[in-house]
Amino acid sequence: MRELLILRKNHIYRFCMVLFPLLVIFFFTSMMDDGLPTSMPVGVVDLDNTSTSRALGLKLDGFQMSKVVAHYPSVTEARKAVQRNEIYGFLYIPKGTTEKLLASRQPKISYYYSYTTMAAGSMMMKDLKTISTLGSAAVGQGTMRAKGLTDEQIQTLIQPIKMDLHQIANPWSSYNIYLTTVMVPGIIMLFIFLISTYSLGTELKFNSSKKWLALTDNNILVAIFGKFLPQMLIWLAIIYGYEYYVFYHLHFPHLGSPWMLVLLGLMQVLASQGFGIFAFGLMPSLRMSMSISSLWAVLSISMAGSAFPIMGMDGPLQSLSWLFPLRHYWMIYQGCVFNGFPLIEVWFHFAALAAFMLLPWLVLKKIKNAMLTYVYIP
């Protein structure tokens, strides 16, 4: 009852445990609602100005991710537009391209794109490369048809090997599906870390630690359980609400059992609370423990392995990745929820989350000593 009263009176808990997590959930899911960026601005430098070269520009504009917003008289003007962030890239068609194509003299067209923004740059490169290939294929197709070749013969010559692409689990290549499912849990873990250390640190800051322990006859285990049980229930409501929203309302793919989602959410909350309590036990200071928690949470987003694979990192960083709860959450999620594998396939990551849950046992005595003897220093 004491902890429920604290949660009700202190607005920080209301903001950090309910309002901000909900804002994060709706922000990320709505920001990438289309799955992939669409209509990214691109330019064309067409010095050839023939029906063939203009057709290339029209085809580029027809792609979902590209939108031709301007035609430039020179490469210099287009380059300046890229530098002013007006366009992400441009297609350069030099004079005489069509003439050389018809004469089979292999003309060169160029495409330039900015890689300052990695996602936009890679997608722009894909569209520009595709339009370049399609342009040469279209002219080649017309030439071979004029020579009397059948469509089947033309297709064999243009594309000798036909690719049959199968993207597993995320066939839409949706950024929303694979980024939201690691970013949102990672940020919620950040809030759990901070609130866990904050709730212990404020006992020292407001000189209420001795009264808190006195309610439990100085039993630190009962005190910790009583303090974090209400918080755990609130966090579980947020996590399960998030899972229902993305998997059953937004229909994110999940091949695993719904009970796996329930178990993963419970492990996520308990492991995060365990790490927050452990961080305070290592450094019984409100400022220092919150700094450690925030640093560890921010680093965990990079060390989870969703954006850059852990196997591609240096050996010391691969070993360090085991110290981040988000890494193990992500591995269990992509194995058991995303791909539907049995839990035995990722049992070592499950055991690692269980170890994070048990970390507070190592510092209970130190936390009790801090609550009874330490003096708060701003």
Side-chain angles (χ1 to χ4, degrees), residues 93-156:
I93 306 174
K95 186 174 181 60
T97 297
T98 303
E99 181 183 351
K100 291 180 180 180
L101 269 173
L102 296 176
S104 301
R105 287 157 50 192
Q106 288 188 324
K108 292 183 179 180
I109 63 174
S110 306
Y111 51 87
Y112 300 81
Y113 57 95
S114 172
Y115 224 43
T116 304
T117 304
M118 185 172 292
S122 60
M123 292 178 185
M124 188 60 59
M125 183 271 290
K126 178 182 177 182
D127 279 4
L128 291 170
K129 184 178 181 180
T130 301
I131 198 64
S132 303
T133 305
L134 289 177
S136 60
V139 175
Q141 185 179 22
T143 303
M144 286 184 281
R145 185 174 285 116
K147 293 180 179 180
L149 297 181
T150 64
D151 289 341
E152 184 177 353
Q153 291 173 322
I154 293 172
Q155 184 66 29
T156 303

Short mmCIF file of all heavy atoms in Angstrom, two decimals, residues 93-156:
data_model
loop_
_atom_site.label_atom_id
_atom_site.label_comp_id
_atom_site.label_asym_id
_atom_site.label_seq_id
_atom_site.Cartn_x
_atom_site.Cartn_y
_atom_site.Cartn_z
N ILE A 93 21.98 10.80 -67.66
CA ILE A 93 21.93 10.21 -69.00
C ILE A 93 22.68 11.15 -69.95
O ILE A 93 22.16 12.22 -70.29
CB ILE A 93 20.48 10.02 -69.48
CG1 ILE A 93 19.68 9.22 -68.45
CG2 ILE A 93 20.45 9.32 -70.83
CD1 ILE A 93 18.21 9.10 -68.76
N PRO A 94 23.89 10.80 -70.37
CA PRO A 94 24.67 11.72 -71.22
C PRO A 94 24.11 11.80 -72.63
O PRO A 94 23.32 10.95 -73.07
CB PRO A 94 26.07 11.09 -71.20
CG PRO A 94 25.84 9.66 -70.91
CD PRO A 94 24.62 9.58 -70.04
N LYS A 95 24.52 12.81 -73.34
CA LYS A 95 24.08 13.02 -74.73
C LYS A 95 24.61 11.89 -75.61
O LYS A 95 25.73 11.44 -75.47
CB LYS A 95 24.59 14.38 -75.22
CG LYS A 95 24.05 14.77 -76.60
CD LYS A 95 24.48 16.17 -76.96
CE LYS A 95 23.93 16.58 -78.32
NZ LYS A 95 22.46 16.55 -78.38
N GLY A 96 23.77 11.41 -76.54
CA GLY A 96 24.16 10.35 -77.45
C GLY A 96 23.90 8.96 -76.91
O GLY A 96 24.29 7.97 -77.54
N THR A 97 23.22 8.84 -75.75
CA THR A 97 22.98 7.52 -75.16
C THR A 97 22.12 6.65 -76.08
O THR A 97 22.45 5.48 -76.35
CB THR A 97 22.29 7.68 -73.79
OG1 THR A 97 23.15 8.38 -72.90
CG2 THR A 97 21.96 6.32 -73.20
N THR A 98 21.02 7.21 -76.57
CA THR A 98 20.12 6.42 -77.43
C THR A 98 20.81 6.00 -78.72
O THR A 98 20.68 4.87 -79.20
CB THR A 98 18.86 7.22 -77.73
OG1 THR A 98 18.23 7.61 -76.50
CG2 THR A 98 17.88 6.41 -78.57
N GLU A 99 21.56 6.91 -79.31
CA GLU A 99 22.27 6.61 -80.56
C GLU A 99 23.25 5.46 -80.37
O GLU A 99 23.33 4.55 -81.20
CB GLU A 99 23.00 7.86 -81.02
CG GLU A 99 23.76 7.69 -82.33
CD GLU A 99 24.53 8.93 -82.73
OE1 GLU A 99 24.32 9.99 -82.08
OE2 GLU A 99 25.35 8.85 -83.66
N LYS A 100 23.99 5.50 -79.27
CA LYS A 100 24.94 4.42 -79.00
C LYS A 100 24.23 3.11 -78.70
O LYS A 100 24.72 2.02 -79.05
CB LYS A 100 25.85 4.81 -77.84
CG LYS A 100 26.81 5.95 -78.16
CD LYS A 100 27.68 6.27 -76.97
CE LYS A 100 28.65 7.42 -77.29
NZ LYS A 100 29.51 7.76 -76.13
N LEU A 101 23.07 3.18 -78.00
CA LEU A 101 22.32 1.96 -77.71
C LEU A 101 21.88 1.27 -79.00
O LEU A 101 22.04 0.06 -79.17
CB LEU A 101 21.08 2.31 -76.88
CG LEU A 101 21.22 2.28 -75.36
CD1 LEU A 101 19.95 2.81 -74.71
CD2 LEU A 101 21.53 0.89 -74.86
N LEU A 102 21.32 2.06 -79.93
CA LEU A 102 20.83 1.48 -81.18
C LEU A 102 21.96 0.94 -82.03
O LEU A 102 21.77 0.01 -82.83
CB LEU A 102 20.04 2.54 -81.95
CG LEU A 102 18.76 3.04 -81.27
CD1 LEU A 102 18.11 4.14 -82.08
CD2 LEU A 102 17.79 1.88 -81.04
N ALA A 103 23.17 1.51 -81.85
CA ALA A 103 24.33 1.04 -82.61
C ALA A 103 25.11 -0.03 -81.87
O ALA A 103 26.18 -0.45 -82.32
CB ALA A 103 25.24 2.22 -82.94
N SER A 104 24.58 -0.47 -80.70
CA SER A 104 25.24 -1.51 -79.88
C SER A 104 26.66 -1.12 -79.50
O SER A 104 27.59 -1.93 -79.58
CB SER A 104 25.23 -2.86 -80.61
OG SER A 104 23.93 -3.28 -80.92
N ARG A 105 26.85 0.13 -79.11
CA ARG A 105 28.19 0.62 -78.73
C ARG A 105 28.33 0.82 -77.22
O ARG A 105 29.22 1.52 -76.77
CB ARG A 105 28.46 1.94 -79.47
CG ARG A 105 28.74 1.73 -80.96
CD ARG A 105 28.48 2.96 -81.79
NE ARG A 105 29.12 4.14 -81.24
CZ ARG A 105 28.85 5.39 -81.66
NH1 ARG A 105 27.94 5.57 -82.61
NH2 ARG A 105 29.47 6.42 -81.15
N GLN A 106 27.47 0.22 -76.44
CA GLN A 106 27.55 0.22 -74.98
C GLN A 106 27.74 1.62 -74.37
O GLN A 106 28.81 1.94 -73.86
CB GLN A 106 28.69 -0.69 -74.50
CG GLN A 106 28.40 -2.17 -74.68
CD GLN A 106 29.46 -3.04 -74.02
OE1 GLN A 106 30.65 -2.69 -74.02
NE2 GLN A 106 29.06 -4.15 -73.47
N PRO A 107 26.70 2.45 -74.41
CA PRO A 107 26.81 3.76 -73.76
C PRO A 107 26.81 3.60 -72.24
O PRO A 107 26.39 2.57 -71.71
CB PRO A 107 25.55 4.48 -74.23
CG PRO A 107 24.57 3.38 -74.46
CD PRO A 107 25.38 2.23 -75.01
N LYS A 108 27.26 4.61 -71.57
CA LYS A 108 27.32 4.59 -70.10
C LYS A 108 26.36 5.63 -69.53
O LYS A 108 26.41 6.79 -69.91
CB LYS A 108 28.74 4.88 -69.61
CG LYS A 108 29.75 3.80 -69.94
CD LYS A 108 31.12 4.14 -69.36
CE LYS A 108 32.14 3.04 -69.67
NZ LYS A 108 33.48 3.37 -69.11
N ILE A 109 25.48 5.18 -68.65
CA ILE A 109 24.68 6.12 -67.86
C ILE A 109 25.12 5.95 -66.41
O ILE A 109 25.58 4.88 -66.01
CB ILE A 109 23.17 5.87 -68.02
CG1 ILE A 109 22.78 4.49 -67.48
CG2 ILE A 109 22.74 6.03 -69.46
CD1 ILE A 109 21.28 4.26 -67.49
N SER A 110 24.98 6.98 -65.64
CA SER A 110 25.49 6.99 -64.27
C SER A 110 24.36 7.32 -63.29
O SER A 110 23.40 8.01 -63.65
CB SER A 110 26.62 8.01 -64.12
OG SER A 110 27.64 7.79 -65.07
N TYR A 111 24.48 6.83 -62.10
CA TYR A 111 23.57 7.25 -61.05
C TYR A 111 24.38 7.57 -59.80
O TYR A 111 25.36 6.91 -59.47
CB TYR A 111 22.49 6.20 -60.76
CG TYR A 111 22.98 4.80 -60.51
CD1 TYR A 111 23.35 4.38 -59.24
CD2 TYR A 111 23.03 3.87 -61.55
CE1 TYR A 111 23.78 3.09 -59.00
CE2 TYR A 111 23.47 2.57 -61.33
CZ TYR A 111 23.84 2.19 -60.05
OH TYR A 111 24.26 0.90 -59.83
N TYR A 112 23.98 8.63 -59.15
CA TYR A 112 24.65 9.12 -57.94
C TYR A 112 23.63 9.16 -56.80
O TYR A 112 22.49 9.58 -57.01
CB TYR A 112 25.23 10.53 -58.18
CG TYR A 112 26.25 10.60 -59.29
CD1 TYR A 112 25.86 10.68 -60.62
CD2 TYR A 112 27.61 10.59 -59.00
CE1 TYR A 112 26.79 10.74 -61.65
CE2 TYR A 112 28.56 10.64 -60.02
CZ TYR A 112 28.14 10.71 -61.34
OH TYR A 112 29.07 10.77 -62.34
N TYR A 113 24.05 8.74 -55.63
CA TYR A 113 23.13 8.76 -54.49
C TYR A 113 23.92 9.06 -53.23
O TYR A 113 25.11 8.76 -53.12
CB TYR A 113 22.38 7.43 -54.36
CG TYR A 113 23.27 6.22 -54.23
CD1 TYR A 113 23.61 5.70 -52.99
CD2 TYR A 113 23.76 5.58 -55.36
CE1 TYR A 113 24.42 4.58 -52.88
CE2 TYR A 113 24.57 4.47 -55.27
CZ TYR A 113 24.90 3.97 -54.02
OH TYR A 113 25.71 2.88 -53.92
N SER A 114 23.24 9.67 -52.28
CA SER A 114 23.85 10.02 -50.99
C SER A 114 23.70 8.87 -50.01
O SER A 114 22.59 8.33 -49.84
CB SER A 114 23.19 11.28 -50.43
OG SER A 114 23.65 11.52 -49.11
N TYR A 115 24.79 8.48 -49.39
CA TYR A 115 24.75 7.42 -48.38
C TYR A 115 24.87 7.99 -46.97
O TYR A 115 25.17 7.26 -46.03
CB TYR A 115 25.88 6.42 -48.66
CG TYR A 115 25.44 4.98 -48.53
CD1 TYR A 115 24.22 4.56 -49.07
CD2 TYR A 115 26.23 4.04 -47.91
CE1 TYR A 115 23.82 3.25 -48.97
CE2 TYR A 115 25.83 2.71 -47.80
CZ TYR A 115 24.62 2.33 -48.34
OH TYR A 115 24.21 1.02 -48.24
N THR A 116 24.62 9.31 -46.85
CA THR A 116 24.62 9.91 -45.52
C THR A 116 23.55 9.26 -44.66
O THR A 116 23.77 8.97 -43.48
CB THR A 116 24.39 11.42 -45.63
OG1 THR A 116 25.37 11.98 -46.49
CG2 THR A 116 24.47 12.07 -44.26
N THR A 117 22.38 9.06 -45.24
CA THR A 117 21.31 8.31 -44.58
C THR A 117 21.32 6.91 -45.18
O THR A 117 20.98 6.73 -46.36
CB THR A 117 19.95 8.98 -44.81
OG1 THR A 117 20.02 10.33 -44.37
CG2 THR A 117 18.86 8.27 -44.04
N MET A 118 21.69 5.92 -44.37
CA MET A 118 21.96 4.59 -44.92
C MET A 118 20.73 3.95 -45.54
O MET A 118 20.77 3.40 -46.64
CB MET A 118 22.53 3.68 -43.83
CG MET A 118 22.96 2.32 -44.34
SD MET A 118 23.82 1.35 -43.09
CE MET A 118 25.33 2.29 -42.93
N ALA A 119 19.59 4.03 -44.85
CA ALA A 119 18.38 3.38 -45.37
C ALA A 119 17.96 4.02 -46.69
O ALA A 119 17.69 3.32 -47.68
CB ALA A 119 17.26 3.47 -44.34
N ALA A 120 17.91 5.36 -46.72
CA ALA A 120 17.50 6.05 -47.95
C ALA A 120 18.50 5.80 -49.06
O ALA A 120 18.12 5.59 -50.23
CB ALA A 120 17.36 7.54 -47.67
N GLY A 121 19.79 5.81 -48.74
CA GLY A 121 20.81 5.59 -49.75
C GLY A 121 20.75 4.21 -50.37
O GLY A 121 20.83 4.06 -51.60
N SER A 122 20.56 3.18 -49.55
CA SER A 122 20.53 1.82 -50.08
C SER A 122 19.28 1.60 -50.94
O SER A 122 19.35 0.92 -51.99
CB SER A 122 20.56 0.81 -48.93
OG SER A 122 19.44 0.98 -48.07
N MET A 123 18.15 2.17 -50.53
CA MET A 123 16.93 2.00 -51.33
C MET A 123 17.02 2.79 -52.63
O MET A 123 16.55 2.34 -53.69
CB MET A 123 15.72 2.46 -50.52
CG MET A 123 15.42 1.56 -49.34
SD MET A 123 14.04 2.16 -48.38
CE MET A 123 14.07 0.96 -47.04
N MET A 124 17.61 3.98 -52.56
CA MET A 124 17.77 4.77 -53.76
C MET A 124 18.70 4.06 -54.75
O MET A 124 18.46 4.04 -55.95
CB MET A 124 18.31 6.15 -53.40
CG MET A 124 18.34 7.13 -54.55
SD MET A 124 16.69 7.41 -55.23
CE MET A 124 15.83 8.03 -53.79
N MET A 125 19.78 3.48 -54.23
CA MET A 125 20.71 2.73 -55.07
C MET A 125 19.99 1.57 -55.76
O MET A 125 20.20 1.30 -56.95
CB MET A 125 21.87 2.21 -54.24
CG MET A 125 22.95 1.46 -55.03
SD MET A 125 22.63 -0.31 -55.20
CE MET A 125 22.90 -0.85 -53.52
N LYS A 126 19.10 0.90 -55.05
CA LYS A 126 18.37 -0.23 -55.62
C LYS A 126 17.50 0.22 -56.78
O LYS A 126 17.49 -0.42 -57.85
CB LYS A 126 17.51 -0.87 -54.53
CG LYS A 126 16.67 -2.04 -55.01
CD LYS A 126 15.81 -2.59 -53.88
CE LYS A 126 14.92 -3.72 -54.38
NZ LYS A 126 14.04 -4.22 -53.28
N ASP A 127 16.78 1.32 -56.61
CA ASP A 127 15.90 1.79 -57.69
C ASP A 127 16.70 2.28 -58.89
O ASP A 127 16.34 2.01 -60.05
CB ASP A 127 15.00 2.92 -57.16
CG ASP A 127 13.80 2.40 -56.40
OD1 ASP A 127 13.72 1.17 -56.23
OD2 ASP A 127 12.96 3.20 -55.96
N LEU A 128 17.78 3.03 -58.63
CA LEU A 128 18.58 3.56 -59.73
C LEU A 128 19.27 2.43 -60.51
O LEU A 128 19.37 2.47 -61.74
CB LEU A 128 19.62 4.55 -59.18
CG LEU A 128 19.05 5.87 -58.65
CD1 LEU A 128 20.13 6.66 -57.92
CD2 LEU A 128 18.46 6.70 -59.77
N LYS A 129 19.73 1.42 -59.79
CA LYS A 129 20.35 0.28 -60.46
C LYS A 129 19.33 -0.49 -61.29
O LYS A 129 19.62 -0.93 -62.41
CB LYS A 129 21.00 -0.64 -59.43
CG LYS A 129 21.75 -1.81 -60.03
CD LYS A 129 22.42 -2.65 -58.94
CE LYS A 129 23.18 -3.81 -59.55
NZ LYS A 129 23.85 -4.65 -58.50
N THR A 130 18.14 -0.63 -60.73
CA THR A 130 17.09 -1.36 -61.45
C THR A 130 16.69 -0.64 -62.72
O THR A 130 16.53 -1.26 -63.79
CB THR A 130 15.85 -1.53 -60.55
OG1 THR A 130 16.23 -2.25 -59.37
CG2 THR A 130 14.76 -2.30 -61.27
N ILE A 131 16.54 0.69 -62.65
CA ILE A 131 16.11 1.43 -63.84
C ILE A 131 17.19 1.41 -64.91
O ILE A 131 16.91 1.39 -66.11
CB ILE A 131 15.73 2.88 -63.46
CG1 ILE A 131 14.89 3.51 -64.58
CG2 ILE A 131 16.96 3.73 -63.22
CD1 ILE A 131 13.57 2.83 -64.78
N SER A 132 18.46 1.38 -64.49
CA SER A 132 19.54 1.28 -65.46
C SER A 132 19.51 -0.07 -66.18
O SER A 132 19.67 -0.15 -67.41
CB SER A 132 20.89 1.46 -64.77
OG SER A 132 20.95 2.69 -64.08
N THR A 133 19.25 -1.13 -65.42
CA THR A 133 19.16 -2.46 -66.02
C THR A 133 17.96 -2.57 -66.94
O THR A 133 18.03 -3.14 -68.04
CB THR A 133 19.09 -3.53 -64.92
OG1 THR A 133 20.21 -3.38 -64.03
CG2 THR A 133 19.10 -4.93 -65.50
N LEU A 134 16.82 -2.03 -66.49
CA LEU A 134 15.61 -2.10 -67.30
C LEU A 134 15.77 -1.33 -68.60
O LEU A 134 15.25 -1.72 -69.65
CB LEU A 134 14.42 -1.55 -66.51
CG LEU A 134 13.92 -2.42 -65.34
CD1 LEU A 134 12.79 -1.70 -64.61
CD2 LEU A 134 13.45 -3.77 -65.83
N GLY A 135 16.46 -0.18 -68.54
CA GLY A 135 16.65 0.62 -69.75
C GLY A 135 17.42 -0.12 -70.81
O GLY A 135 17.02 -0.16 -71.99
N SER A 136 18.53 -0.73 -70.41
CA SER A 136 19.33 -1.47 -71.40
C SER A 136 18.58 -2.70 -71.89
O SER A 136 18.66 -3.07 -73.07
CB SER A 136 20.67 -1.88 -70.77
OG SER A 136 20.45 -2.71 -69.64
N ALA A 137 17.80 -3.33 -71.00
CA ALA A 137 17.05 -4.52 -71.40
C ALA A 137 15.95 -4.16 -72.39
O ALA A 137 15.68 -4.91 -73.34
CB ALA A 137 16.45 -5.21 -70.17
N ALA A 138 15.30 -3.00 -72.20
CA ALA A 138 14.22 -2.59 -73.09
C ALA A 138 14.73 -2.36 -74.51
O ALA A 138 14.11 -2.78 -75.50
CB ALA A 138 13.55 -1.33 -72.56
N VAL A 139 15.87 -1.66 -74.61
CA VAL A 139 16.44 -1.41 -75.94
C VAL A 139 16.90 -2.72 -76.58
O VAL A 139 16.68 -2.97 -77.77
CB VAL A 139 17.61 -0.41 -75.83
CG1 VAL A 139 18.28 -0.24 -77.19
CG2 VAL A 139 17.10 0.93 -75.33
N GLY A 140 17.54 -3.58 -75.79
CA GLY A 140 17.97 -4.87 -76.32
C GLY A 140 16.81 -5.72 -76.78
O GLY A 140 16.90 -6.41 -77.81
N GLN A 141 15.70 -5.63 -76.05
CA GLN A 141 14.52 -6.39 -76.42
C GLN A 141 13.96 -5.92 -77.76
O GLN A 141 13.58 -6.72 -78.62
CB GLN A 141 13.46 -6.25 -75.33
CG GLN A 141 12.22 -7.12 -75.56
CD GLN A 141 11.22 -6.94 -74.43
OE1 GLN A 141 11.24 -5.93 -73.73
NE2 GLN A 141 10.35 -7.91 -74.25
N GLY A 142 13.93 -4.60 -77.95
CA GLY A 142 13.43 -4.06 -79.22
C GLY A 142 14.32 -4.46 -80.39
O GLY A 142 13.83 -4.80 -81.48
N THR A 143 15.62 -4.44 -80.18
CA THR A 143 16.56 -4.80 -81.25
C THR A 143 16.41 -6.28 -81.62
O THR A 143 16.36 -6.64 -82.81
CB THR A 143 18.00 -4.52 -80.80
OG1 THR A 143 18.12 -3.14 -80.44
CG2 THR A 143 18.98 -4.83 -81.91
N MET A 144 16.31 -7.15 -80.62
CA MET A 144 16.19 -8.58 -80.89
C MET A 144 14.84 -8.93 -81.51
O MET A 144 14.74 -9.85 -82.34
CB MET A 144 16.41 -9.37 -79.60
CG MET A 144 17.88 -9.40 -79.15
SD MET A 144 18.18 -10.42 -77.69
CE MET A 144 17.61 -9.31 -76.41
N ARG A 145 13.80 -8.20 -81.12
CA ARG A 145 12.50 -8.46 -81.73
C ARG A 145 12.52 -8.07 -83.20
O ARG A 145 11.89 -8.72 -84.05
CB ARG A 145 11.41 -7.71 -80.97
CG ARG A 145 10.01 -8.03 -81.48
CD ARG A 145 8.93 -7.40 -80.64
NE ARG A 145 8.77 -8.10 -79.37
CZ ARG A 145 9.01 -7.56 -78.18
NH1 ARG A 145 9.45 -6.31 -78.12
NH2 ARG A 145 8.84 -8.25 -77.07
N ALA A 146 13.26 -7.00 -83.53
CA ALA A 146 13.39 -6.58 -84.93
C ALA A 146 14.14 -7.61 -85.76
O ALA A 146 13.95 -7.72 -86.98
CB ALA A 146 14.09 -5.23 -85.00
N LYS A 147 15.00 -8.37 -85.10
CA LYS A 147 15.76 -9.42 -85.80
C LYS A 147 14.97 -10.71 -85.93
O LYS A 147 15.47 -11.69 -86.49
CB LYS A 147 17.06 -9.70 -85.05
CG LYS A 147 18.05 -8.54 -85.10
CD LYS A 147 19.33 -8.88 -84.35
CE LYS A 147 20.32 -7.71 -84.41
NZ LYS A 147 21.57 -8.02 -83.66
N GLY A 148 13.73 -10.76 -85.37
CA GLY A 148 12.88 -11.91 -85.55
C GLY A 148 12.92 -12.93 -84.44
O GLY A 148 12.38 -14.02 -84.58
N LEU A 149 13.54 -12.63 -83.32
CA LEU A 149 13.59 -13.57 -82.19
C LEU A 149 12.25 -13.60 -81.47
O LEU A 149 11.54 -12.59 -81.39
CB LEU A 149 14.70 -13.18 -81.22
CG LEU A 149 16.13 -13.22 -81.77
CD1 LEU A 149 17.12 -12.82 -80.68
CD2 LEU A 149 16.49 -14.59 -82.31
N THR A 150 11.90 -14.76 -80.94
CA THR A 150 10.66 -14.89 -80.17
C THR A 150 10.85 -14.32 -78.77
O THR A 150 11.98 -14.10 -78.31
CB THR A 150 10.25 -16.37 -80.07
OG1 THR A 150 11.25 -17.07 -79.32
CG2 THR A 150 10.12 -16.99 -81.45
N ASP A 151 9.73 -14.09 -78.07
CA ASP A 151 9.79 -13.55 -76.71
C ASP A 151 10.55 -14.48 -75.77
O ASP A 151 11.27 -14.04 -74.87
CB ASP A 151 8.37 -13.29 -76.19
CG ASP A 151 7.70 -12.11 -76.87
OD1 ASP A 151 8.43 -11.30 -77.48
OD2 ASP A 151 6.47 -12.00 -76.80
N GLU A 152 10.35 -15.80 -75.96
CA GLU A 152 11.05 -16.76 -75.10
C GLU A 152 12.55 -16.70 -75.33
O GLU A 152 13.34 -16.75 -74.37
CB GLU A 152 10.52 -18.17 -75.38
CG GLU A 152 11.11 -19.22 -74.45
CD GLU A 152 10.52 -20.60 -74.71
OE1 GLU A 152 9.56 -20.70 -75.51
OE2 GLU A 152 11.01 -21.57 -74.11
N GLN A 153 12.97 -16.57 -76.58
CA GLN A 153 14.40 -16.45 -76.87
C GLN A 153 14.97 -15.13 -76.33
O GLN A 153 16.07 -15.10 -75.80
CB GLN A 153 14.62 -16.54 -78.38
CG GLN A 153 14.34 -17.91 -78.99
CD GLN A 153 14.39 -17.89 -80.50
OE1 GLN A 153 13.96 -16.91 -81.14
NE2 GLN A 153 14.93 -18.96 -81.09
N ILE A 154 14.19 -14.06 -76.45
CA ILE A 154 14.64 -12.75 -75.94
C ILE A 154 14.80 -12.81 -74.43
O ILE A 154 15.80 -12.33 -73.87
CB ILE A 154 13.63 -11.66 -76.34
CG1 ILE A 154 13.64 -11.46 -77.86
CG2 ILE A 154 13.95 -10.35 -75.63
CD1 ILE A 154 12.55 -10.53 -78.35
N GLN A 155 13.84 -13.42 -73.74
CA GLN A 155 13.90 -13.51 -72.29
C GLN A 155 15.11 -14.32 -71.83
O GLN A 155 15.77 -13.99 -70.85
CB GLN A 155 12.61 -14.14 -71.74
CG GLN A 155 12.51 -14.21 -70.22
CD GLN A 155 12.44 -12.83 -69.61
OE1 GLN A 155 11.93 -11.90 -70.23
NE2 GLN A 155 12.96 -12.69 -68.40
N THR A 156 15.41 -15.39 -72.58
CA THR A 156 16.56 -16.22 -72.23
C THR A 156 17.88 -15.47 -72.39
O THR A 156 18.80 -15.60 -71.57
CB THR A 156 16.58 -17.49 -73.10
OG1 THR A 156 15.35 -18.19 -72.93
CG2 THR A 156 17.73 -18.40 -72.72
#
